Amino acid sequence: MLTCETLIQKAVARIGGDSPKLDAELLLSHVTGLSRTSFRAWPERGVSAEQAQQFFALVAERVNGKPIAYLLGRQEFWSLPLKVSPSTLIPRPDTECLVEVALSIALPETATVLDLGTGTGAIALALASEKPDWQIMASDRISEAVELARENSQRLGVPITVVQSHWFDQIPEGTFDLLISNPPYIAASDRHLSEGDVRFEPSSALVAGDDGLDDIRLLVIQGLNRLNAGGWMLLEHGYDQGEAVRDLFASAGWLNIETRKDYGGNDRMTFAQTPAGK
Ligand code: GLN
């Protein structure tokens, strides 16, 4: 019988990359249901032939570059264990900065919020977990994402309303206090699309026209009509898009426009307010 230690050693030798040991332990834990710490405490523990086979099948997919989050079927975001699938983007730690900024904006006690292009539901669920009195809607154009966000909401017991909609097209009538989105923002020609995890993620969640700004342009224009007077829009964007996004907000007449950085010190999000009289 193969031991946990042997399986991990064999996998580490094959996986390579930045974190082969962590990847191997996560995959073995996924297959066996045993904790990662147990592999260190009991390295001699045996694993059934069937589990070893499942483990090596996952290792082979990892060697081909498939993101660990898709192999495990989950990713933690804002301490919430989210189910993920290849039909949506894998939630990024940097997007947690967006949640932090949203929570710091002065909003009504029972604010109405819309998370556009929610994917797994990450942003909407993080906000709902912090602000149970907010009324939070999340939308996505892709039906698999809508199902996934609903499933995550139910499994976590964090209620949000999920609507299938291409941006504002199918959003019910009415206005919000906060519009928030991590839209696609990568330029179609960006060579980083052919590297690492993003190769396996849906381009519908990543790519937005020649300059990566197509969807942000639409949100900045259409968002003005879907906010209450003095409401806010908060958008994630590329590290080099801060100035362009501020310009888009400014030319559309938004006020109090500000860009903030992510944990890596890069410009990552810009927010702006509608005029109070609107
Ligand atoms: N931040 C992601 C990346 O660079 C892209 C996310 C997005 O397009 N919304 O891989």
Side-chain angles (χ1 to χ4, degrees), residues 156-169:
L156 295 166
V158 175
I160 55 170
T161 305
V162 190
V163 176
Q164 185 168 1
S165 175
H166 183 220
W167 301 130
F168 293 102
D169 288 355

Side-chain angles (χ1 to χ4, degrees), residues 101-116:
V101 171
L103 293 171
S104 74
I105 294 175
L107 291 170
E109 290 279 300
T110 55
T112 49
V113 179
L114 172 61
D115 170 17
L116 295 129

Side-chain angles (χ1 to χ4, degrees), residues 4-277:
C4 290
E5 187 176 33
T6 315
L7 287 172
I8 288 172
Q9 277 170 3
K10 283 179 185 286
V12 166
R14 288 181 204 172
I15 294 174
D18 297 340
S19 54
K21 181 116 193 262
L22 175 63
D23 290 0
E25 287 180 348
L26 287 168
L27 293 176
L28 191 58
S29 169
H30 181 65
V31 165
T32 59
L34 301 169
S35 72
R36 282 175 53 217
T37 45
S38 79
F39 304 143
R40 308 209 178 146
W42 298 287
E44 300 303 324
R45 191 160 179 166
V47 170
S48 74
E50 196 191 340
Q51 287 180 336
Q53 198 181 13
Q54 283 170 10
F55 173 68
F56 284 121
L58 291 174
V59 168
E61 290 197 82
R62 183 70 193 123
V63 171
N64 283 331
K66 189 155 180 184
I68 198 84
Y70 287 156
L71 294 173
L72 302 176
R74 71 183 150 72
Q75 170 74 38
E76 196 157 294
F77 181 83
W78 201 263
S79 301
L80 303 170
L82 297 178
K83 183 174 168 188
V84 299
S85 91
S87 53
T88 69
L89 197 73
I90 300 165
R92 309 280 201 272
D94 283 331
T95 303
E96 294 180 355
C97 298
L98 210 67
V99 173
E100 266 177 45
V101 171
L103 293 171
S104 74
I105 294 175
L107 291 170
E109 290 279 300
T110 55
T112 49
V113 179
L114 172 61
D115 170 17
L116 295 129
T118 196
T120 58
I123 294 174
L125 291 167
L127 292 176
S129 74
E130 296 290 334
K131 298 282 186 185
D133 292 335
W134 285 6
Q135 294 167 55
I136 301 181
M137 187 179 286
S139 69
D140 206 285
R141 180 167 67 87
I142 312 290
S143 60
E144 288 89 347
V146 170
E147 290 308 314
L148 189 63
R150 283 189 185 140
E151 191 182 334
N152 277 322
S153 164
Q154 272 156 20
R155 281 173 64 245
L156 295 166
V158 175
I160 55 170
T161 305
V162 190
V163 176
Q164 185 168 1
S165 175
H166 183 220
W167 301 130
F168 293 102
D169 288 355
Q170 308 296 322
I171 302 298
E173 294 262 318
T175 48
F176 297 86
D177 296 306
L178 173 68
L179 299 172
I180 187 166
S181 182
N182 173 16
Y185 54 72
I186 299 178
S189 60
D190 193 322
R191 68 183 161 71
H192 120 261
L193 290 168
S194 58
E195 295 164 11
D197 283 4
V198 292
R199 287 171 300 163
F200 291 82
E201 294 179 292
S203 64
S204 60
L206 294 166
V207 180
D210 290 343
D211 61 358
L213 291 168
D214 280 7
D215 292 296
I216 290 181
R217 265 190 283 271
L218 178 149
L219 291 169
V220 164
I221 298 293
Q222 296 190 5
L224 271 177
N225 302 319
R226 301 309 301 262
L227 280 169
N228 295 325
W232 294 87
M233 175 176 263
L234 170 53
L235 300 177
E236 181 169 325
H237 53 69
Y239 70 94
D240 55 356
Q241 292 172 334
E243 191 180 345
V245 175
R246 287 194 300 278
D247 287 349
L248 288 172
F249 272 119
S251 7
W254 293 75
L255 304 175
N256 301 323
I257 304 162
E258 192 178 330
T259 297
R260 293 276 178 89
K261 295 187 188 305
D262 61 22
Y263 298 125
N266 295 307
D267 281 356
R268 184 57 64 195
M269 71 207 85
T270 296
F271 55 103
Q273 194 174 21
T274 54

